[in-house]
Structure formats: structure tokens, C-alpha cells
């Protein structure tokens, strides 16, 4: 029995002292980045909502939709006013050019007396 226990201890010691051939994963050639879960998880108390959900709720509200419609209508009116103003300016320019042409024609025609 002592021989068996001595032999067992000798074998355990021999195997535990043997060279450990594990691969080093820090080599530049064999490096594999560990896969970490980097997804941010928001923790809220019961009944709390995230900022994105709150923004979607605000955007879907009647007051927000009405304000968007009002801004669109005001932008359309401003655009129409600008177009009318530009048409009026173009008409004024055309009138001035026509008057200048008439004056040039009067100046270039000889007077017959």
C-alpha cells in the first residue's frame, strides 16, 4: 500500500512538473480580439421611458403636428410673396427698358421742321 501511494505521488509530481505548451494569444499574428457585448443598456425605474420614446410621443402629439403644419403654411406664403415681389420687380425693369428704348429712338430720329 505504501508502494502504491508513493508511486501515485511520484506520477502526479511528474505530470504536474511537465512543460506546459499552451499557445499565447497575445502574439500579433495570432491575436483574436475578445468578443465583448458593448451594447449600452439603459436601466430605468418602473414606468420610465427613454428619451427616444419620449421624442416620438411628442412628435405624434396633436400640438406638434399642428405647429409643423403652421410652419409649412407660413413657408408657402412667404414663397408666394417672394415670387410676387420678383414678378413686380421684373415688370418695373421691363418698363424702364422700354422707356429707354423709346428715348433712344426719339434721339436717333432726325427732326423735320
Amino acid at each position: 500500500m505504501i508502494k502504491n501511494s508513493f508511486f501515485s505521488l511520484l506520477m502526479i509530481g511528474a505530470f504536474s512538473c511537465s512543460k506546459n505548451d499552451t499557445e499565447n494569444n497575445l502574439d500579433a499574428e495570432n491575436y483574436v480580439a475578445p468578443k465583448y457585448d458593448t451594447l449600452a443598456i439603459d436601466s430605468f425605474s418602473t414606468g420610465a421611458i427613454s428619451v427616444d420614446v419620449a421624442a416620438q410621443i411628442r412628435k405624434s402629439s396633436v400640438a406638434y403636428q399642428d405647429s409643423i403644419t403652421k410652419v409649412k403654411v407660413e413657408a408657402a406664403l412667404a414663397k408666394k410673396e417672394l415670387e410676387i415681389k420678383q414678378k413686380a420687380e421684373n415688370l418695373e425693369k421691363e418698363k424702364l427698358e422700354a422707356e429707354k428704348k423709346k428715348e433712344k429712338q426719339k434721339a436717333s430720329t432726325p427732326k423735320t421742321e
Side-chain angles (χ1 to χ4, degrees):
M1 188 147 154
I2 293 178
K3 289 182 182 181
N4 286 340
S5 59
F6 180 72
F7 181 72
S8 306
L9 288 174
L10 184 63
M11 292 302 286
I12 290 174
F15 284 117
S16 65
C17 292
S18 66
K19 185 178 179 182
N20 219 359
D21 289 334
T22 59
E23 290 186 24
N24 188 359
N25 67 346
L26 298 178
D27 292 342
E29 296 172 2
N30 300 328
Y31 180 73
V32 177
K35 295 180 182 180
Y36 295 113
D37 183 16
T38 58
L39 180 66
I41 298 174
D42 295 333
S43 60
F44 292 105
S45 62
T46 305
I49 57 173
S50 71
V51 176
D52 296 331
V53 174
Q56 288 176 350
I57 290 171
R58 268 187 266 120
K59 287 180 182 178
S60 65
S61 71
V62 175
Y64 183 82
Q65 294 298 325
D66 288 344
S67 66
I68 289 176
T69 305
K70 184 178 177 182
V71 168
K72 287 180 181 178
V73 168
E74 289 174 359
L77 289 175
K79 185 177 179 182
K80 285 182 182 179
E81 288 177 6
L82 181 63
E83 288 175 358
I84 291 170
K85 186 177 180 180
Q86 287 177 347
K87 285 181 183 178
E89 289 175 359
N90 288 340
L91 286 174
E92 287 293 322
K93 286 180 184 179
E94 289 175 4
K95 286 180 183 178
L96 288 174
E97 288 176 5
E99 288 177 8
K100 286 181 183 179
K101 285 182 183 179
K102 285 181 183 178
E103 289 177 6
K104 285 182 181 179
Q105 286 178 353
K106 285 181 183 179
S108 65
T109 57
K111 292 184 181 179
T112 54
E113 290 183 25

